[in-house]
Amino acid sequence: MSLKGFSVPLSPEGRATLTPLPPWFYSGDLLVVDFEARPEVVAAVLPPWLEPDSADPGGCTAFFADWQYASETGEERLDPVRSQYREFILLVNAGYAGRPVSTCPYMYVDKDSSLARGWIQGWPKKLADVCITRAAPLQSPAAPRVEPGALFAGTLSANGRRLADASVTLEKVSENPVYLGSRTILNVRYFPQLAGGAQARPAVHELVRSILSGAQRTEVWEGQASLTFFPAPDQELDVFQPQRIRRGYRYSAAFRVDDLEVVERLV
Amino acid sequence: MSLKGFSVPLSPEGRATLTPLPPWFYSGDLLVVDFEARPEVVAAVLPPWLEPDSADPGGCTAFFADWQYASETGEERLDPVRSQYREFILLVNAGYAGRPVSTCPYMYVDKDSSLARGWIQGWPKKLADVCITRAAPLQSPAAPRVEPGALFAGTLSANGRRLADASVTLEKVSENPVYLGSRTILNVRYFPQLAGGAQARPAVHELVRSILSGAQRTEVWEGQASLTFFPAPDQELDVFQPQRIRRGYRYSAAFRVDDLEVVERLV
Amino acid sequence: MSLKGFSVPLSPEGRATLTPLPPWFYSGDLLVVDFEARPEVVAAVLPPWLEPDSADPGGCTAFFADWQYASETGEERLDPVRSQYREFILLVNAGYAGRPVSTCPYMYVDKDSSLARGWIQGWPKKLADVCITRAAPLQSPAAPRVEPGALFAGTLSANGRRLADASVTLEKVSENPVYLGSRTILNVRYFPQLAGGAQARPAVHELVRSILSGAQRTEVWEGQASLTFFPAPDQELDVFQPQRIRRGYRYSAAFRVDDLEVVERLV
Amino acid sequence: MSLKGFSVPLSPEGRATLTPLPPWFYSGDLLVVDFEARPEVVAAVLPPWLEPDSADPGGCTAFFADWQYASETGEERLDPVRSQYREFILLVNAGYAGRPVSTCPYMYVDKDSSLARGWIQGWPKKLADVCITRAAPLQSPAAPRVEPGALFAGTLSANGRRLADASVTLEKVSENPVYLGSRTILNVRYFPQLAGGAQARPAVHELVRSILSGAQRTEVWEGQASLTFFPAPDQELDVFQPQRIRRGYRYSAAFRVDDLEVVERLV
């Protein structure tokens, strides 16, 4: 077959594919709220290969991220509608082979190409609207600078319902920050089998780890944070309602995704 | 594992899943343009198991569809934002084992749950905005009734670019209509393997056929039609620019999807 | 000045205008919930020229409407993205010169051209997402036919928050229905004056009545209904939380708007 | 009347209004392309009180702007969906009383509250999707830093059609930049009269100037630029197709709008 591309749709020129092969380049701003949910709520979303984190069984982190992306050709830079997207990531603590890790039970994004890359890497993305305060270089009541007292907010909505509201008020540069990747992330790559129905084993069901390079971070600022989840009939985020908010963070990051490691495989 | 659901995300209650298991119920209105593209353009998108349709090698059909969906619980009926979606389907003629079939190289939809069901069934959906004239029961310059002379239009746009414009002017009830399913549809279910990069074989690569039941159609009206494709850097639809428009159709349909048959499997 | 058009932007050809002059043609489906709010809540939104309806001071009606529109040229029919829009209308009872009327305190729509026509006619529209179950001609769990037992739902969301959910279960053709226009509607046409700030009198502040012709309705079906409003920081709909739901209705309508009558003028 | 608010809808608490009274605070990033259109195209969009700029009759500037906004209460900072919006502004050269000015024939924005503030100030906004490359602090192929060689792009789409594409490649800090406000801007505040139809004089038709304070700018970078307009049936932007591109600019700005001055009044 001479069809080209990495994801569907494969096509003669490979331009129609939702995503080409890595490397995938990312640059973005992240608003982070580290918090504790009820440990049984965290335990209930762990995939087969992971156990609760005995040292911190209710530990969770919510990320609101405002990304720009480019493939190796970089053509997305001339068409920012294809480069830009925003997402919400919930990571929960887990243990794997005695080591502390994180895993992502729920994730939301506002662009199909990012949803496709997510599924391919084990991020269980659905579509949603995510909004995140942007930092500005000039002082104004309309936008914060990155400085003590600055207020950053993040919101998540899907199917016309608000799912999460968060805020972080910056205090200082953090000496021991929580950031995306501060714990190893093991996700579940999953693709169902329809033929055979409920009895069928999934076509893909494996524990994976993304292989990144070139990770950079700005200073991470920290401060007091708030986070509230709201119920929706087609979501299960609200059971993670924070029992205790630990700390909020705000920083910028850049990295590339190169490959994926399959850690465990069920099928 | 006690996680429930059929697609990602799996969750404790199974409410968060983008789609539960079939049966999936559909009811919708379809605007159809049957046309001829250049045969080499059709041949270039055929997957490995299919050959050109020697009797009609350039035959293609474009569908603009306005759907309502329900799962077995029917809960979507109380929340139409989760029930309603619109899509564009391009089917091209092919041959399989000497018999005429159709296959879908490109498809677009405006809802994540339908995109998920599509990928699971071998429909290579991307996100887009689809608009389709609705029929009305009262006479008005603002909306057509289903009657001779009525004008129905369909449009497709993605990432802020118009990709297709179509129109059908109804003449009469068709005696030999082209409709969704008037030829057997064989699609490619495909899910890539990221681990290992360009050398990796896809995780799922198979020729499939959806198993439907309870298919109903209203009378199918036919008439003169127009269809134009426009170029975009991230799409390859415009090479299908019609060489000849055959006929347009308009009707309503309902059916359920029950299961999937794997016809050929590469991996 | 040779600039053409009716609303902004005026332009050399008049094609850029958000709306040309009437006649404006409309055809649509309406889901209606007639209910009672607290009378003081209704009284609090009445404009200067209107008094409470002494016979039914808490009477309100919520409309979820799925429209197609055409101007006199009818060019929108070939580009349904410009023809179609959905809206939510809250009408409240009032009295004017001793006669029962309705007035619209809050209204939401999903298209700029309709927002412009609304402001010009005294409908105080804001942008929102409105979803409404569509009727289908075929029997399916995915969509109702217009028949006893059929369930229709409507939802309203703005800025990522659900503002209203409604449903109507059809019982029978109504002999005494509530529909859009079953009471005279008097609205406030209002456009503020910025020069001079808080002390400035509005540039336009008048009580108006739309002049329609050619109004048609299908049979109006009625049945049991539900309606719930939800709070939001930038909305005041939820104070209208129904104290009693009277009845729900569902029908299709078509009409044209020809002109506007100024009933009272403050400035 | 005890109804509160500045624009529609007026309401008991004043929370529902699309916009409160100024001061209005803005902070944003701007991508600017200064260019020449055919002088007769510019002359054709000038309002009654303005004449062509004899020194530079084809001079035009396109702005792609990514804003955050706050009212005096600043409550939008906790709900960024209400604070953030993006817009496209076309300014054309004109003369008024012998002095060089600019005026805005066409403008597009993606949020209703900004559209309302625009109409109130004489900016003839319609809804559209605007995308603009964001600057990042870290080096990455995915996003530019503000430095020589950095590529920034802007796009404009409405009703599913691409209307404009632009890019600026930064070279150096500009010594004589074109920025929003580098020429006095006189706009037409216009609100039509529907009562009486085509014979009616508009309700508001005046030449106005916004009164700002606290204007700040970062360094303005300049570089080579591109700008292309595309046709659409409901737009007239494409007649401004650049005959010559002068220069592109990129900077951040903050200011507040306090009031409006009426310079000339027709009605």
Side-chain angles (χ1 to χ4, degrees), chain C residues 192 194, chain D residues 4-8 14-24 26 69-76 113 116-117 120 257:
Chain C
L194 179 54
Chain D
K4 295 179 189 142
F6 178 55
S7 77
V8 293
R15 287 190 291 117
T17 188
L18 272 168
T19 180
L21 266 172
W24 298 330
Y26 298 90
Y69 156 86
S71 64
E72 198 156 26
T73 67
E75 62 171 297
E76 299 83 1
S113 51
R117 289 194 306 269
I120 290 169
V257 170

PDB file of all heavy atoms in Angstrom, chain C residues 192 194, chain D residues 4-8 14-24 26 69-76 113 116-117 120 257:
ATOM      1  N   PRO C 192     -26.925  52.009  24.194  1.00  0.00           N
ATOM      2  CA  PRO C 192     -26.413  52.970  25.173  1.00  0.00           C
ATOM      3  C   PRO C 192     -25.623  54.100  24.535  1.00  0.00           C
ATOM      4  O   PRO C 192     -25.193  54.020  23.384  1.00  0.00           O
ATOM      5  CB  PRO C 192     -25.508  52.104  26.051  1.00  0.00           C
ATOM      6  CG  PRO C 192     -25.109  50.957  25.207  1.00  0.00           C
ATOM      7  CD  PRO C 192     -26.197  50.739  24.193  1.00  0.00           C
ATOM      8  N   LEU C 194     -22.183  56.098  25.127  1.00  0.00           N
ATOM      9  CA  LEU C 194     -20.944  56.022  25.903  1.00  0.00           C
ATOM     10  C   LEU C 194     -20.417  57.419  26.217  1.00  0.00           C
ATOM     11  O   LEU C 194     -19.903  57.666  27.312  1.00  0.00           O
ATOM     12  CB  LEU C 194     -19.896  55.189  25.156  1.00  0.00           C
ATOM     13  CG  LEU C 194     -18.547  55.039  25.840  1.00  0.00           C
ATOM     14  CD1 LEU C 194     -18.686  54.497  27.252  1.00  0.00           C
ATOM     15  CD2 LEU C 194     -17.654  54.100  25.034  1.00  0.00           C
TER      16      LEU C 194
ATOM     17  N   LYS D   4     -30.513  47.614  35.930  1.00  0.00           N
ATOM     18  CA  LYS D   4     -29.113  48.037  35.912  1.00  0.00           C
ATOM     19  C   LYS D   4     -28.374  47.438  34.730  1.00  0.00           C
ATOM     20  O   LYS D   4     -28.836  46.475  34.113  1.00  0.00           O
ATOM     21  CB  LYS D   4     -28.441  47.602  37.221  1.00  0.00           C
ATOM     22  CG  LYS D   4     -29.030  48.292  38.437  1.00  0.00           C
ATOM     23  CD  LYS D   4     -28.344  47.800  39.712  1.00  0.00           C
ATOM     24  CE  LYS D   4     -29.086  48.339  40.943  1.00  0.00           C
ATOM     25  NZ  LYS D   4     -29.144  47.340  42.006  1.00  0.00           N
ATOM     26  N   GLY D   5     -27.191  47.981  34.491  1.00  0.00           N
ATOM     27  CA  GLY D   5     -26.374  47.509  33.376  1.00  0.00           C
ATOM     28  C   GLY D   5     -26.147  48.651  32.420  1.00  0.00           C
ATOM     29  O   GLY D   5     -26.787  49.702  32.513  1.00  0.00           O
ATOM     30  N   PHE D   6     -25.231  48.436  31.460  1.00  0.00           N
ATOM     31  CA  PHE D   6     -24.927  49.503  30.510  1.00  0.00           C
ATOM     32  C   PHE D   6     -25.437  49.136  29.121  1.00  0.00           C
ATOM     33  O   PHE D   6     -26.072  49.914  28.453  1.00  0.00           O
ATOM     34  CB  PHE D   6     -23.415  49.749  30.506  1.00  0.00           C
ATOM     35  CG  PHE D   6     -22.977  50.791  29.541  1.00  0.00           C
ATOM     36  CD1 PHE D   6     -23.526  52.068  29.579  1.00  0.00           C
ATOM     37  CD2 PHE D   6     -22.012  50.511  28.580  1.00  0.00           C
ATOM     38  CE1 PHE D   6     -23.122  53.047  28.673  1.00  0.00           C
ATOM     39  CE2 PHE D   6     -21.607  51.480  27.677  1.00  0.00           C
ATOM     40  CZ  PHE D   6     -22.164  52.745  27.722  1.00  0.00           C
ATOM     41  N   SER D   7     -25.153  47.901  28.686  1.00  0.00           N
ATOM     42  CA  SER D   7     -25.706  47.414  27.419  1.00  0.00           C
ATOM     43  C   SER D   7     -26.873  46.496  27.739  1.00  0.00           C
ATOM     44  O   SER D   7     -27.123  46.162  28.892  1.00  0.00           O
ATOM     45  CB  SER D   7     -24.643  46.616  26.659  1.00  0.00           C
ATOM     46  OG  SER D   7     -24.522  45.327  27.240  1.00  0.00           O
ATOM     47  N   VAL D   8     -27.536  46.040  26.675  1.00  0.00           N
ATOM     48  CA  VAL D   8     -28.504  44.968  26.866  1.00  0.00           C
ATOM     49  C   VAL D   8     -27.768  43.722  27.313  1.00  0.00           C
ATOM     50  O   VAL D   8     -26.607  43.549  26.973  1.00  0.00           O
ATOM     51  CB  VAL D   8     -29.280  44.660  25.558  1.00  0.00           C
ATOM     52  CG1 VAL D   8     -30.158  45.826  25.195  1.00  0.00           C
ATOM     53  CG2 VAL D   8     -28.360  44.251  24.422  1.00  0.00           C
ATOM     54  N   GLY D  14     -27.761  43.846  37.355  1.00  0.00           N
ATOM     55  CA  GLY D  14     -26.756  44.372  36.440  1.00  0.00           C
ATOM     56  C   GLY D  14     -25.668  43.371  36.091  1.00  0.00           C
ATOM     57  O   GLY D  14     -24.723  43.692  35.372  1.00  0.00           O
ATOM     58  N   ARG D  15     -25.801  42.114  36.557  1.00  0.00           N
ATOM     59  CA  ARG D  15     -24.793  41.100  36.231  1.00  0.00           C
ATOM     60  C   ARG D  15     -24.963  40.542  34.832  1.00  0.00           C
ATOM     61  O   ARG D  15     -24.037  40.003  34.255  1.00  0.00           O
ATOM     62  CB  ARG D  15     -24.864  39.930  37.221  1.00  0.00           C
ATOM     63  CG  ARG D  15     -24.328  40.229  38.605  1.00  0.00           C
ATOM     64  CD  ARG D  15     -24.228  38.940  39.420  1.00  0.00           C
ATOM     65  NE  ARG D  15     -25.520  38.386  39.752  1.00  0.00           N
ATOM     66  CZ  ARG D  15     -25.979  37.205  39.339  1.00  0.00           C
ATOM     67  NH1 ARG D  15     -25.228  36.437  38.559  1.00  0.00           N
ATOM     68  NH2 ARG D  15     -27.173  36.779  39.700  1.00  0.00           N
ATOM     69  N   ALA D  16     -26.162  40.624  34.285  1.00  0.00           N
ATOM     70  CA  ALA D  16     -26.435  39.997  32.988  1.00  0.00           C
ATOM     71  C   ALA D  16     -25.970  40.858  31.812  1.00  0.00           C
ATOM     72  O   ALA D  16     -25.837  40.351  30.700  1.00  0.00           O
ATOM     73  CB  ALA D  16     -27.934  39.712  32.857  1.00  0.00           C
ATOM     74  N   THR D  17     -25.709  42.107  32.027  1.00  0.00           N
ATOM     75  CA  THR D  17     -25.330  43.012  30.947  1.00  0.00           C
ATOM     76  C   THR D  17     -24.113  42.485  30.192  1.00  0.00           C
ATOM     77  O   THR D  17     -23.179  41.962  30.799  1.00  0.00           O
ATOM     78  CB  THR D  17     -25.030  44.424  31.499  1.00  0.00           C
ATOM     79  OG1 THR D  17     -24.847  45.314  30.400  1.00  0.00           O
ATOM     80  CG2 THR D  17     -23.786  44.464  32.379  1.00  0.00           C
ATOM     81  N   LEU D  18     -24.123  42.644  28.863  1.00  0.00           N
ATOM     82  CA  LEU D  18     -22.953  42.216  28.095  1.00  0.00           C
ATOM     83  C   LEU D  18     -21.729  43.024  28.486  1.00  0.00           C
ATOM     84  O   LEU D  18     -20.613  42.515  28.436  1.00  0.00           O
ATOM     85  CB  LEU D  18     -23.232  42.364  26.597  1.00  0.00           C
ATOM     86  CG  LEU D  18     -23.878  41.140  25.976  1.00  0.00           C
ATOM     87  CD1 LEU D  18     -24.383  41.460  24.585  1.00  0.00           C
ATOM     88  CD2 LEU D  18     -22.892  39.982  25.918  1.00  0.00           C
ATOM     89  N   THR D  19     -21.918  44.273  28.860  1.00  0.00           N
ATOM     90  CA  THR D  19     -20.775  45.078  29.298  1.00  0.00           C
ATOM     91  C   THR D  19     -21.248  46.130  30.289  1.00  0.00           C
ATOM     92  O   THR D  19     -22.263  46.776  30.061  1.00  0.00           O
ATOM     93  CB  THR D  19     -20.056  45.750  28.116  1.00  0.00           C
ATOM     94  OG1 THR D  19     -18.956  46.499  28.641  1.00  0.00           O
ATOM     95  CG2 THR D  19     -20.954  46.690  27.340  1.00  0.00           C
ATOM     96  N   PRO D  20     -20.506  46.300  31.386  1.00  0.00           N
ATOM     97  CA  PRO D  20     -20.789  47.413  32.289  1.00  0.00           C
ATOM     98  C   PRO D  20     -20.195  48.701  31.714  1.00  0.00           C
ATOM     99  O   PRO D  20     -19.541  48.677  30.660  1.00  0.00           O
ATOM    100  CB  PRO D  20     -20.073  47.003  33.575  1.00  0.00           C
ATOM    101  CG  PRO D  20     -18.901  46.214  33.100  1.00  0.00           C
ATOM    102  CD  PRO D  20     -19.370  45.498  31.852  1.00  0.00           C
ATOM    103  N   LEU D  21     -20.394  49.789  32.382  1.00  0.00           N
ATOM    104  CA  LEU D  21     -19.774  51.068  32.002  1.00  0.00           C
ATOM    105  C   LEU D  21     -18.246  50.975  32.087  1.00  0.00           C
ATOM    106  O   LEU D  21     -17.727  50.171  32.852  1.00  0.00           O
ATOM    107  CB  LEU D  21     -20.212  52.143  32.999  1.00  0.00           C
ATOM    108  CG  LEU D  21     -21.420  53.006  32.647  1.00  0.00           C
ATOM    109  CD1 LEU D  21     -21.797  53.845  33.853  1.00  0.00           C
ATOM    110  CD2 LEU D  21     -21.072  53.934  31.468  1.00  0.00           C
ATOM    111  N   PRO D  22     -17.531  51.780  31.313  1.00  0.00           N
ATOM    112  CA  PRO D  22     -16.094  51.900  31.538  1.00  0.00           C
ATOM    113  C   PRO D  22     -15.838  52.418  32.964  1.00  0.00           C
ATOM    114  O   PRO D  22     -16.742  52.970  33.585  1.00  0.00           O
ATOM    115  CB  PRO D  22     -15.652  52.937  30.494  1.00  0.00           C
ATOM    116  CG  PRO D  22     -16.739  52.959  29.467  1.00  0.00           C
ATOM    117  CD  PRO D  22     -18.001  52.640  30.226  1.00  0.00           C
ATOM    118  N   PRO D  23     -14.583  52.268  33.434  1.00  0.00           N
ATOM    119  CA  PRO D  23     -13.386  51.912  32.666  1.00  0.00           C
ATOM    120  C   PRO D  23     -13.358  50.447  32.255  1.00  0.00           C
ATOM    121  O   PRO D  23     -13.804  49.578  32.987  1.00  0.00           O
ATOM    122  CB  PRO D  23     -12.254  52.226  33.647  1.00  0.00           C
ATOM    123  CG  PRO D  23     -12.871  52.075  34.994  1.00  0.00           C
ATOM    124  CD  PRO D  23     -14.281  52.577  34.830  1.00  0.00           C
ATOM    125  N   TRP D  24     -12.802  50.254  31.049  1.00  0.00           N
ATOM    126  CA  TRP D  24     -12.560  48.923  30.501  1.00  0.00           C
ATOM    127  C   TRP D  24     -11.046  48.755  30.351  1.00  0.00           C
ATOM    128  O   TRP D  24     -10.392  49.565  29.678  1.00  0.00           O
ATOM    129  CB  TRP D  24     -13.222  48.789  29.126  1.00  0.00           C
ATOM    130  CG  TRP D  24     -14.717  48.942  29.149  1.00  0.00           C
ATOM    131  CD1 TRP D  24     -15.585  48.628  30.147  1.00  0.00           C
ATOM    132  CD2 TRP D  24     -15.536  49.453  28.068  1.00  0.00           C
ATOM    133  NE1 TRP D  24     -16.893  48.902  29.778  1.00  0.00           N
ATOM    134  CE2 TRP D  24     -16.883  49.405  28.500  1.00  0.00           C
ATOM    135  CE3 TRP D  24     -15.268  49.938  26.789  1.00  0.00           C
ATOM    136  CZ2 TRP D  24     -17.947  49.832  27.709  1.00  0.00           C
ATOM    137  CZ3 TRP D  24     -16.326  50.358  26.001  1.00  0.00           C
ATOM    138  CH2 TRP D  24     -17.655  50.300  26.456  1.00  0.00           C
ATOM    139  N   TYR D  26      -7.668  46.653  29.129  1.00  0.00           N
ATOM    140  CA  TYR D  26      -7.249  45.713  28.086  1.00  0.00           C
ATOM    141  C   TYR D  26      -5.750  45.452  28.177  1.00  0.00           C
ATOM    142  O   TYR D  26      -4.968  46.369  28.428  1.00  0.00           O
ATOM    143  CB  TYR D  26      -7.532  46.283  26.692  1.00  0.00           C
ATOM    144  CG  TYR D  26      -8.996  46.524  26.431  1.00  0.00           C
ATOM    145  CD1 TYR D  26      -9.589  47.740  26.736  1.00  0.00           C
ATOM    146  CD2 TYR D  26      -9.786  45.517  25.893  1.00  0.00           C
ATOM    147  CE1 TYR D  26     -10.943  47.952  26.508  1.00  0.00           C
ATOM    148  CE2 TYR D  26     -11.136  45.728  25.661  1.00  0.00           C
ATOM    149  CZ  TYR D  26     -11.709  46.948  25.968  1.00  0.00           C
ATOM    150  OH  TYR D  26     -13.046  47.151  25.738  1.00  0.00           O
ATOM    151  N   TYR D  69      -9.276  41.107  28.996  1.00  0.00           N
ATOM    152  CA  TYR D  69     -10.076  42.268  29.370  1.00  0.00           C
ATOM    153  C   TYR D  69     -10.513  42.140  30.817  1.00  0.00           C
ATOM    154  O   TYR D  69     -10.731  41.022  31.307  1.00  0.00           O
ATOM    155  CB  TYR D  69     -11.315  42.326  28.456  1.00  0.00           C
ATOM    156  CG  TYR D  69     -12.485  43.074  29.032  1.00  0.00           C
ATOM    157  CD1 TYR D  69     -12.591  44.459  28.895  1.00  0.00           C
ATOM    158  CD2 TYR D  69     -13.479  42.408  29.743  1.00  0.00           C
ATOM    159  CE1 TYR D  69     -13.661  45.151  29.440  1.00  0.00           C
ATOM    160  CE2 TYR D  69     -14.556  43.091  30.290  1.00  0.00           C
ATOM    161  CZ  TYR D  69     -14.650  44.459  30.142  1.00  0.00           C
ATOM    162  OH  TYR D  69     -15.704  45.136  30.685  1.00  0.00           O
ATOM    163  N   ALA D  70     -10.651  43.265  31.493  1.00  0.00           N
ATOM    164  CA  ALA D  70     -11.323  43.265  32.797  1.00  0.00           C
ATOM    165  C   ALA D  70     -12.136  44.534  32.941  1.00  0.00           C
ATOM    166  O   ALA D  70     -11.737  45.602  32.458  1.00  0.00           O
ATOM    167  CB  ALA D  70     -10.317  43.166  33.937  1.00  0.00           C
ATOM    168  N   SER D  71     -13.270  44.386  33.576  1.00  0.00           N
ATOM    169  CA  SER D  71     -14.054  45.550  33.979  1.00  0.00           C
ATOM    170  C   SER D  71     -13.494  46.056  35.308  1.00  0.00           C
ATOM    171  O   SER D  71     -12.513  45.530  35.843  1.00  0.00           O
ATOM    172  CB  SER D  71     -15.516  45.146  34.142  1.00  0.00           C
ATOM    173  OG  SER D  71     -15.617  44.210  35.199  1.00  0.00           O
ATOM    174  N   GLU D  72     -14.140  47.072  35.862  1.00  0.00           N
ATOM    175  CA  GLU D  72     -13.613  47.658  37.095  1.00  0.00           C
ATOM    176  C   GLU D  72     -13.636  46.656  38.251  1.00  0.00           C
ATOM    177  O   GLU D  72     -12.760  46.678  39.108  1.00  0.00           O
ATOM    178  CB  GLU D  72     -14.415  48.914  37.448  1.00  0.00           C
ATOM    179  CG  GLU D  72     -13.655  49.787  38.424  1.00  0.00           C
ATOM    180  CD  GLU D  72     -14.092  51.238  38.344  1.00  0.00           C
ATOM    181  OE1 GLU D  72     -15.242  51.486  37.936  1.00  0.00           O
ATOM    182  OE2 GLU D  72     -13.270  52.119  38.683  1.00  0.00           O
ATOM    183  N   THR D  73     -14.642  45.768  38.271  1.00  0.00           N
ATOM    184  CA  THR D  73     -14.683  44.782  39.371  1.00  0.00           C
ATOM    185  C   THR D  73     -13.583  43.742  39.224  1.00  0.00           C
ATOM    186  O   THR D  73     -13.161  43.137  40.199  1.00  0.00           O
ATOM    187  CB  THR D  73     -16.018  44.013  39.394  1.00  0.00           C
ATOM    188  OG1 THR D  73     -16.089  43.201  38.211  1.00  0.00           O
ATOM    189  CG2 THR D  73     -17.210  44.964  39.416  1.00  0.00           C
ATOM    190  N   GLY D  74     -13.121  43.506  38.020  1.00  0.00           N
ATOM    191  CA  GLY D  74     -12.070  42.530  37.799  1.00  0.00           C
ATOM    192  C   GLY D  74     -12.523  41.091  37.936  1.00  0.00           C
ATOM    193  O   GLY D  74     -11.710  40.160  37.896  1.00  0.00           O
ATOM    194  N   GLU D  75     -13.830  40.858  38.055  1.00  0.00           N
ATOM    195  CA  GLU D  75     -14.314  39.488  38.257  1.00  0.00           C
ATOM    196  C   GLU D  75     -13.972  38.574  37.090  1.00  0.00           C
ATOM    197  O   GLU D  75     -13.899  37.356  37.254  1.00  0.00           O
ATOM    198  CB  GLU D  75     -15.823  39.492  38.464  1.00  0.00           C
ATOM    199  CG  GLU D  75     -16.580  40.021  37.255  1.00  0.00           C
ATOM    200  CD  GLU D  75     -18.073  39.834  37.361  1.00  0.00           C
ATOM    201  OE1 GLU D  75     -18.531  38.683  37.419  1.00  0.00           O
ATOM    202  OE2 GLU D  75     -18.760  40.848  37.385  1.00  0.00           O
ATOM    203  N   GLU D  76     -13.755  39.130  35.883  1.00  0.00           N
ATOM    204  CA  GLU D  76     -13.440  38.303  34.717  1.00  0.00           C
ATOM    205  C   GLU D  76     -12.109  37.565  34.916  1.00  0.00           C
ATOM    206  O   GLU D  76     -11.846  36.566  34.242  1.00  0.00           O
ATOM    207  CB  GLU D  76     -13.340  39.170  33.464  1.00  0.00           C
ATOM    208  CG  GLU D  76     -14.610  39.907  33.097  1.00  0.00           C
ATOM    209  CD  GLU D  76     -14.800  41.221  33.864  1.00  0.00           C
ATOM    210  OE1 GLU D  76     -13.907  41.548  34.684  1.00  0.00           O
ATOM    211  OE2 GLU D  76     -15.822  41.886  33.652  1.00  0.00           O
ATOM    212  N   SER D 113     -19.347  39.894  24.286  1.00  0.00           N
ATOM    213  CA  SER D 113     -19.151  41.078  25.126  1.00  0.00           C
ATOM    214  C   SER D 113     -18.254  42.090  24.422  1.00  0.00           C
ATOM    215  O   SER D 113     -18.480  43.297  24.503  1.00  0.00           O
ATOM    216  CB  SER D 113     -18.557  40.676  26.480  1.00  0.00           C
ATOM    217  OG  SER D 113     -17.421  39.872  26.290  1.00  0.00           O
ATOM    218  N   ALA D 116     -20.240  43.808  21.720  1.00  0.00           N
ATOM    219  CA  ALA D 116     -21.120  44.850  22.274  1.00  0.00           C
ATOM    220  C   ALA D 116     -20.320  46.120  22.577  1.00  0.00           C
ATOM    221  O   ALA D 116     -20.723  47.222  22.198  1.00  0.00           O
ATOM    222  CB  ALA D 116     -21.812  44.332  23.536  1.00  0.00           C
ATOM    223  N   ARG D 117     -19.180  45.970  23.243  1.00  0.00           N
ATOM    224  CA  ARG D 117     -18.362  47.168  23.526  1.00  0.00           C
ATOM    225  C   ARG D 117     -17.932  47.831  22.231  1.00  0.00           C
ATOM    226  O   ARG D 117     -17.836  49.049  22.140  1.00  0.00           O
ATOM    227  CB  ARG D 117     -17.138  46.793  24.370  1.00  0.00           C
ATOM    228  CG  ARG D 117     -17.487  46.430  25.815  1.00  0.00           C
ATOM    229  CD  ARG D 117     -16.239  46.389  26.708  1.00  0.00           C
ATOM    230  NE  ARG D 117     -15.217  45.501  26.170  1.00  0.00           N
ATOM    231  CZ  ARG D 117     -15.097  44.212  26.455  1.00  0.00           C
ATOM    232  NH1 ARG D 117     -15.936  43.640  27.296  1.00  0.00           N
ATOM    233  NH2 ARG D 117     -14.143  43.482  25.909  1.00  0.00           N
ATOM    234  N   ILE D 120     -20.743  49.893  20.634  1.00  0.00           N
ATOM    235  CA  ILE D 120     -21.009  51.080  21.464  1.00  0.00           C
ATOM    236  C   ILE D 120     -19.960  52.162  21.214  1.00  0.00           C
ATOM    237  O   ILE D 120     -20.224  53.348  21.359  1.00  0.00           O
ATOM    238  CB  ILE D 120     -21.057  50.646  22.949  1.00  0.00           C
ATOM    239  CG1 ILE D 120     -22.320  49.809  23.199  1.00  0.00           C
ATOM    240  CG2 ILE D 120     -21.008  51.844  23.883  1.00  0.00           C
ATOM    241  CD1 ILE D 120     -22.337  49.104  24.542  1.00  0.00           C
ATOM    242  N   VAL D 257     -10.015  52.095  28.420  1.00  0.00           N
ATOM    243  CA  VAL D 257     -10.968  52.963  27.724  1.00  0.00           C
ATOM    244  C   VAL D 257     -11.831  53.612  28.796  1.00  0.00           C
ATOM    245  O   VAL D 257     -12.402  52.928  29.648  1.00  0.00           O
ATOM    246  CB  VAL D 257     -11.840  52.158  26.741  1.00  0.00           C
ATOM    247  CG1 VAL D 257     -12.988  53.017  26.202  1.00  0.00           C
ATOM    248  CG2 VAL D 257     -10.994  51.633  25.586  1.00  0.00           C
TER     249      VAL D 257
END
